[in-house]
Amino acid sequence: MNVLFIGDIVGLEGQEYVEEVLGRLSSRQKLDLIVANGENAVHGRGLNRKAAERLYDAGVEIITLGNHTFDQRELQEFIDEDARIIRPCNYPPGTPGGGFTVCKVGKKKVLVINVMGRTFLSQLDCPFRTVDAILEAHPDIKHVIVDMHAEATSEKLAMGWYLDGRVSAVLGTHTHVPTSDERVLPQGTAYITDVGMVGPRDGILGMDRDIVIGRLLSQMPARFSVAKGPRQFHAVLFELDEETGRAVNISRVPVYEP
Ligand SMILES: [Fe+2]
Ligand SMILES: [Fe+2]
């Protein structure tokens, strides 16, 4: 089973580049599942219906989120009705939406989990114990993909090692900067600390750099907007054993607009 996981999609620029890159990806016909993090899809903040539909049309099948999940109020109106969109599972009980979803790839069930770290982020429930509980509730599913949305590299590495051999992949999101530590851990879990992002390359994490620098210099509030210019596409491609769900390999798939 070949899976493509796309890092945080930033703004309309990011949505359009996902469409463009997926449209001409040479390995596209071999892909069995495409998952993407959509927490920044609308002006860098959150997800709405229109953006979700656009990503589905481009080929994305499951959308994960993060700390920007509820930045677009509209999401609350439909997240409970669309099982293809998941938000971090360790939000408090009663939060709209779900933290995992089960989809079918051929005859196999695939469990996709979104979880958020707590270092330099909101103090949600324990990410480790919350994932444990989801895994315990799905003992029959061997293909499990975890989007670990976190700031700290240490917390993401801890999740990778904690789940090694129990899930197929632990993929870090949120920092928008791809790391070069992709590997298959000893017990068969594909891992990367951060997948990266899709959107403008010459901004700061996809946002207009002058506004970000201005805010850092002045310490005054300023409204960020998505940067302009050439775009980048960061994703990872990994193969899972059909029977065991163990990862066979993982590689980065970077695409840069000239
Ligand atoms: Fe993000
Ligand atoms: Fe984030």
Side-chain angles (χ1 to χ4, degrees):
M1 184 186 299
N2 294 306
V3 184
L4 185 76
F5 185 100
I6 304 169
D8 302 36
I9 298 164
V10 181
L12 189 59
E13 293 78 355
Q15 295 175 40
E16 287 172 351
Y17 205 44
V18 166
E19 276 174 356
E20 201 178 310
V21 173
L22 288 183
R24 60 183 161 84
L25 203 65
S26 59
S27 56
R28 176 67 190 269
Q29 58 282 17
K30 292 185 209 136
L31 293 178
D32 299 302
L33 177 64
I34 302 177
V35 182
N37 186 295
E39 73 148 1
N40 308 110
V42 180
H43 311 301
R45 303 175 64 86
L47 180 74
N48 60 17
R49 225 182 229 118
K50 197 173 166 195
E53 290 299 335
R54 189 160 195 163
L55 295 176
Y56 295 147
D57 288 345
V60 173
E61 292 158 274
I62 304 291
I63 302 174
T64 58
L65 295 163
N67 53 306
H68 289 293
T69 295
F70 297 109
D71 285 0
Q72 300 293 322
R73 286 186 65 85
E74 186 190 317
L75 183 76
Q76 291 188 41
E77 295 164 14
F78 70 96
I79 190 169
D80 283 312
E81 293 147 31
D82 191 341
R84 296 168 293 181
I85 301 171
I86 53 173
R87 45 81 179 155
C89 58
N90 48 337
Y91 270 108
T95 301
F100 64 88
T101 191
V102 177
C103 62
K104 272 277 191 77
V105 175
K107 287 182 181 162
K108 299 284 178 209
K109 279 183 187 169
V110 179
L111 171 62
V112 185
I113 302 172
N114 190 191
V115 64
M116 196 156 90
R118 295 185 288 191
T119 309
F120 308 127
L121 286 169
S122 297
Q123 297 304 299
L124 303 185
D125 292 344
C126 175
F128 302 94
R129 292 180 180 89
T130 307
V131 171
D132 279 343
I134 296 169
L135 295 178
E136 276 163 28
H138 299 85
D140 56 317
I141 303 184
K142 294 189 169 123
H143 298 76
V144 184
I145 297 162
V146 178
D147 173 349
M148 172 60 169
H149 195 82
E151 181 78 39
T153 51
S154 57
E155 202 175 7
K156 295 194 235 191
L157 275 160
M159 185 64 83
W161 285 109
Y162 186 67
L163 296 178
D164 184 24
R166 298 199 284 149
V167 306
S168 308
V170 174
L171 311 163
T173 58
H174 176 70
T175 73
H176 296 202
V177 178
T179 55
S180 59
D181 60 342
E182 73 280 5
R183 66 185 282 204
V184 178
L185 296 174
Q187 302 303 315
T189 297
Y191 175 82
I192 188 167
T193 297
D194 208 288
V195 177
M197 61 162 276
V198 184
R201 187 182 190 185
D202 294 340
I204 295 176
L205 311 185
M207 306 311 278
D208 185 291
R209 62 177 187 257
D210 292 332
I211 300 172
V212 177
I213 292 167
R215 187 157 117 176
L216 290 168
L217 287 172
S218 70
Q219 295 299 316
M220 293 293 286
R223 195 166 176 79
F224 291 162
S225 60
V226 176
K228 300 273 174 261
R231 298 159 297 175
Q232 57 188 352
F233 175 97
H234 296 142
V236 287
L237 182 62
F238 53 97
E239 186 183 346
L240 305 181
D241 184 275
E242 287 294 326
E243 292 312 312
T244 64
R246 284 173 68 110
V248 178
N249 56 44
I250 178 168
S251 56
R252 276 177 284 144
V253 186
V255 183
Y256 295 104
E257 195 172 39

